[in-house]
Amino acid sequence: MQTRRKWLPNTLKNRLFIAYITLLMIPLCIGIYYLFQHFESIRQIDMIDRMSERMQQVYISLTDMMAFAYKANIMLSQDESLIQIMHAPDKYDPLERKKIIESKMFGINNSFFFHQTELYFRLIDRNGNVYTSYAPNDQLTNEQKELQDWHNKLQAGNRPYRWVADDWNDVRGSQGNKLLSLYIMLDDDLRGNYGLARISINIQEWFRNTLKDNPAYQDLTIFTGQGESVMQNKETAFSPESVKRIISSQTQNGHFKDERALSLVNYSYVEELDWYVVSQMSLSELQQEVQRLRLMIYLFLIILIIVFILVTFFLASRMTQPLYVLKQGMEEASDKKLNVKIAVKRGATDEIRSLSDSFNRMIDDVVALIARLKQEERQKQAVRFQMLLYQMNPHFLLNTLNTVKWIARKEKQDAIAGICTSLGLILEASLNSDIELIPLQEEIKLLRSYESIQAFRFREHFTIIYETEEAVQYALVPKFSLQPLAENCIAHGFNMTEGRGTIWVRARAEGSELVLEVEDNGIGMEEAARRPGRRSGHGIGLSNLRERLELLFKREGALELISDSEGTLVRIRLPLLIAAPYSQKGDDRHVDDFISGR
């Protein structure tokens, strides 16, 4: 623990700075790092999606060209005039026949004018005559043998047509040496076979037009199901491992990451041609883009950290500088005997200004409190001196009283000796000013002494009945708390000429409280107040007792006064406090009951 504290900063400024770095900057950097990693993966997925979309466009373009070839064959098969000419070519003039058929092929091509690649038609009728929609490289001759060969090939296959991916290009002036051709026999249900149709697409021209919208960093390659390259837009060869992986996957579409070539590969399979159209994108483009983005983020993060550090130091200085001034003021307070004040500079915050004002007020209050304590100490010393002087006379009186008591006993005056004994007990208790709380039985003893003295004065005019619970005999009560109440009853509550009065003194426990009651059956306070001279000084003892209760018990002590024509009741409520002698000699069960509130 000590070693850890040694390494921790002790100043508030440094702790604030470390707290900001630990709780804000480090989580922010970690969050940005993981966010960037997530962005990189999302960016890679986005590139794969774009490649797939582009791959899908190429695939659709190729299948559309093939679909147009199928549609052109249907249009040829449904043209009755063309069927009649090719079924019976000898009935027509060769030039007229050639002109009609070429116009038919030209019309079909015009119907596909919106397509990016032209269709090349080559028809052979049943007599071997050849018709083309283009200017051939060689002179047209009778192709009866070619018609018969294709008739045999198509009959041997499971389809009435066949695609040739690397057909020879006989179109004059056409770029490339390969055509993608659809060979199909022309049949009629009524007249049977009447010729052969070859509908060709310049695959290299289509490939070149397709690559116009292709990104520069994306490679497009077409290879056969045997792994032979058909076309590619760049000289870089496709890796053999990737070719084997694509062929062995036996799926129509897919994509994967080539770890060796550091590229993303997307492919589609054209079943009718047994072709794989493959798109390849180097990850270097993605890495360069991510690297640029990473550099921008790191630069922004560095600037943010520098600004954050500067702002943190500025705010920490603004916060801790006034505290440092306050610390210096506190250290100087004892040296300068509290003669120090903190001056708040202009621009200080409301919190610092309030803290400085509170410190200055605290210094003023401490100075005032010390002055008051010094004054009270001087007053206490003066009172103590006076009390020492005043105690000299009571001690002289007590000694004199003891002398009278012994003289009375010598002269066998028992009544006078008893009065002296009772008065001596009261006088001795009053001299012991250090003790404020005494056991209830001691207070009852003082009250009985007072009763024995008053009995000689008023003879048989009053009686005191004591009703106290045994369990509260050692409960602590204020000294001389019952005697003033009994004195009021005797001196002011009774009409001594009209009979005998009764005073009840009760003590009981109610929960955690001690209840003391002094009740008489006298004339009541209102009647006594109407008699002049009878109640002079009445109330001084009660007010004195009430003030003592407040000083000793604060709000836990209470004095209640109830008076009517049938008498007066004074009730005192105190906290129930049991003295030590009770717990040593008395019944422990009662103590437990009082503590638990029963």
Side-chain angles (χ1 to χ4, degrees):
M1 181 63 71
Q2 295 295 332
T3 304
R4 186 168 57 184
R5 289 183 177 179
K6 181 179 179 181
W7 288 102
L8 289 176
N10 294 325
T11 60
L12 178 60
K13 180 194 295 186
N14 293 335
R15 288 187 177 183
L16 287 175
F17 178 74
I18 291 180
Y20 289 155
I21 292 295
T22 304
L23 299 178
L24 292 180
M25 293 308 300
I26 293 179
L28 178 62
C29 294
I30 295 175
I32 290 177
Y33 173 77
Y34 281 104
L35 184 64
F36 188 80
Q37 293 293 109
H38 183 63
F39 169 78
E40 187 173 355
S41 62
I42 291 178
R43 188 73 180 89
Q44 183 171 326
I45 294 174
D46 179 64
M47 291 186 68
I48 293 176
D49 292 341
R50 285 194 296 170
M51 288 179 60
S52 299
E53 183 180 353
R54 180 59 185 161
M55 193 72 256
Q56 190 68 17
Q57 292 176 356
V58 174
Y59 178 81
I60 292 174
S61 175
L62 181 59
T63 53
D64 284 347
M65 288 297 304
M66 297 172 64
F68 285 134
Y70 287 126
K71 189 173 182 181
N73 173 67
I74 293 173
M75 295 175 68
L76 291 173
S77 302
Q78 292 178 350
D79 193 318
E80 186 64 28
S81 60
L82 186 143
I83 294 174
Q84 291 178 0
I85 292 173
M86 294 190 69
H87 194 272
D90 296 338
K91 296 181 180 181
Y92 297 90
D93 179 70
L95 295 177
E96 184 68 22
R97 182 181 61 202
K98 181 176 180 298
K99 182 178 180 180
I100 293 174
I101 293 178
E102 288 179 351
S103 65
K104 297 291 184 181
M105 294 185 291
F106 182 75
I108 294 174
N109 251 334
N110 283 341
S111 65
F112 301 145
F113 72 93
F114 55 85
H115 204 271
Q116 59 181 355
T117 303
E118 182 180 0
L119 297 179
Y120 299 99
F121 295 93
R122 187 173 185 271
L123 304 180
I124 303 176
D125 60 20
R126 60 185 301 176
N127 293 339
N129 299 313
V130 180
Y131 312 93
T132 62
S133 63
Y134 55 89
N137 289 327
D138 300 325
Q139 185 176 0
L140 298 177
T141 60
N142 188 283
E143 296 290 348
Q144 186 69 36
K145 183 178 181 304
E146 181 182 0
L147 176 65
Q148 188 60 40
D149 290 342
W150 273 106
H151 184 267
N152 296 335
K153 289 179 182 179
L154 294 175
Q155 278 188 339
N158 55 0
R159 294 179 180 176
Y161 62 88
R162 183 177 178 183
W163 283 96
V164 178
D166 54 350
D167 200 10
W168 56 281
N169 188 356
D170 61 344
V171 181
R172 183 182 299 175
S174 176
Q175 296 181 353
N177 56 1
K178 292 182 180 180
L179 295 176
L180 174 62
S181 301
L182 172 66
Y183 285 86
I184 188 168
M185 297 302 299
L186 299 176
D187 293 323
D188 183 61
D189 294 336
L190 299 177
R191 287 163 284 194
N193 178 268
Y194 58 88
L196 172 69
R198 189 194 77 168
I199 306 173
S200 302
I201 304 168
N202 191 328
I203 190 65
Q204 293 180 338
E205 182 181 353
W206 164 83
F207 191 72
R208 185 175 60 255
N209 292 334
T210 302
L211 291 177
K212 287 181 180 180
D213 299 329
N214 199 58
Y217 52 83
Q218 185 173 350
D219 296 342
L220 190 63
T221 304
I222 299 176
F223 59 82
T224 65
Q226 290 73 36
E228 299 177 356
S229 177
V230 177
M231 280 174 291
Q232 62 183 31
N233 66 331
K234 292 186 179 181
E235 296 297 330
T236 56
F238 202 68
S239 63
E241 293 78 8
S242 297
V243 173
K244 292 180 181 179
R245 181 174 180 178
I246 293 173
I247 295 174
S248 61
S249 64
Q250 297 182 352
T251 55
Q252 292 292 115
N253 299 282
H255 61 81
F256 61 90
K257 183 177 180 180
D258 190 349
E259 297 292 346
R260 291 188 176 181
L262 294 177
S263 61
L264 296 175
V265 179
N266 201 309
Y267 62 89
S268 293
Y269 178 65
V270 184
E271 184 178 2
E272 294 179 339
L273 303 178
D274 192 24
W275 277 7
Y276 287 95
V277 182
V278 183
S279 176
Q280 181 177 246
M281 180 182 294
S282 175
L283 286 175
S284 61
E285 297 293 332
L286 175 62
Q287 291 174 351
Q288 291 178 3
E289 181 179 354
V290 171
Q291 190 69 24
R292 289 192 298 268
L293 184 60
R294 182 184 288 114
L295 181 61
M296 292 176 58
I297 292 177
Y298 286 165
L299 181 61
F300 168 77
L301 190 59
I302 291 172
I303 295 174
L304 179 63
I305 291 175
I306 294 174
V307 173
F308 180 81
I309 291 175
L310 294 177
V311 172
T312 302
F313 270 111
F314 174 73
L315 293 178
S317 299
R318 289 292 301 273
M319 293 174 60
T320 57
Q321 183 63 29
L323 296 178
Y324 178 74
V325 174
L326 181 61
K327 173 177 169 284
Q328 284 185 327
M330 290 181 176
E331 291 176 351
E332 294 175 359
S334 58
D335 298 336
K336 296 183 178 181
K337 297 181 180 180
L338 301 179
N339 187 17
V340 62
K341 291 292 181 68
I342 294 179
V344 181
K345 295 181 179 180
R346 178 177 294 182
T349 60
D350 293 340
E351 293 81 3
I352 298 300
R353 192 180 301 276
S354 176
L355 186 62
S356 301
D357 294 341
S358 300
F359 176 78
N360 292 335
R361 286 196 301 271
M362 181 190 70
I363 292 295
D364 294 337
D365 293 342
V366 170
V367 170
L369 180 61
I370 291 176
R372 188 170 61 187
L373 290 176
K374 289 181 178 179
Q375 183 180 2
E376 291 179 355
E377 185 65 24
R378 288 193 295 268
Q379 291 176 352
K380 287 181 179 180
Q381 291 177 357
V383 171
R384 181 67 177 173
F385 180 73
Q386 292 295 330
M387 289 180 62
L388 291 175
L389 292 177
Y390 292 156
Q391 284 180 354
M392 294 176 63
N393 290 333
H395 280 295
F396 171 74
L397 293 176
L398 183 60
N399 292 333
T400 303
L401 189 61
N402 287 330
T403 302
V404 173
K405 179 180 67 174
W406 288 109
I407 293 174
R409 286 183 177 179
K410 185 177 180 181
E411 297 295 332
K412 297 184 180 181
Q413 297 292 330
D414 295 336
I416 296 174
I419 293 175
C420 291
T421 301
S422 299
L423 183 58
L425 290 174
I426 296 174
L427 187 57
E428 185 178 2
S430 64
L431 289 177
N432 194 1
S433 59
D434 295 334
I435 299 177
E436 287 290 342
L437 297 176
I438 61 174
L440 178 62
Q441 66 175 7
E442 296 295 331
E443 179 67 15
I444 295 296
K445 185 176 180 181
L446 292 177
L447 181 57
R448 289 185 182 276
S449 298
Y450 174 77
E451 177 188 4
S452 64
I453 295 174
Q454 294 296 343
F456 283 99
R457 179 182 176 186
F458 297 104
R459 299 297 180 183
E460 304 296 330
H461 290 287
F462 72 92
T463 301
I464 298 180
I465 301 175
Y466 298 92
E467 300 176 356
T468 59
E469 295 180 356
E470 183 67 24
V472 297
Q473 291 297 315
Y474 289 94
L476 296 179
V477 298
K479 185 171 59 176
F480 293 118
S481 56
L482 297 178
Q483 182 265 330
L485 303 180
E487 182 180 358
N488 279 338
C489 296
I490 297 171
H492 308 295
F494 300 134
N495 188 349
M496 297 302 179
T497 61
E498 297 181 358
R500 186 180 183 88
T502 303
I503 300 173
W504 290 272
V505 177
R506 306 184 185 95
R508 65 180 181 274
E510 290 186 0
S512 61
E513 288 185 338
L514 174 65
V515 179
L516 303 176
E517 292 181 348
V518 177
E519 183 180 6
D520 63 50
N521 60 353
I523 60 176
M525 293 180 63
E526 293 184 1
E527 180 64 26
R530 286 195 289 267
R531 297 186 178 186
R534 290 300 304 273
R535 288 270 176 176
S536 60
H538 176 69
I540 296 178
L542 292 178
S543 61
N544 188 307
L545 180 58
R546 184 179 283 110
E547 185 175 354
R548 288 172 59 201
L549 292 176
E550 184 177 354
L551 291 174
L552 291 173
F553 303 106
K554 303 300 181 183
R555 296 183 180 179
E556 296 182 2
L559 187 145
E560 183 181 2
L561 184 63
I562 302 173
S563 180
D564 55 20
S565 60
E566 296 181 356
T568 302
L569 170 64
V570 180
R571 181 180 293 118
I572 301 174
R573 292 185 179 272
L574 307 174
L576 182 58
L577 304 175
I578 305 298
Y582 182 86
S583 62
Q584 294 172 1
K585 300 179 181 180
D587 187 358
D588 291 340
R589 181 180 58 82
H590 296 292
V591 178
D592 296 336
D593 291 344
F594 294 142
I595 294 174
S596 62
R598 292 193 294 269

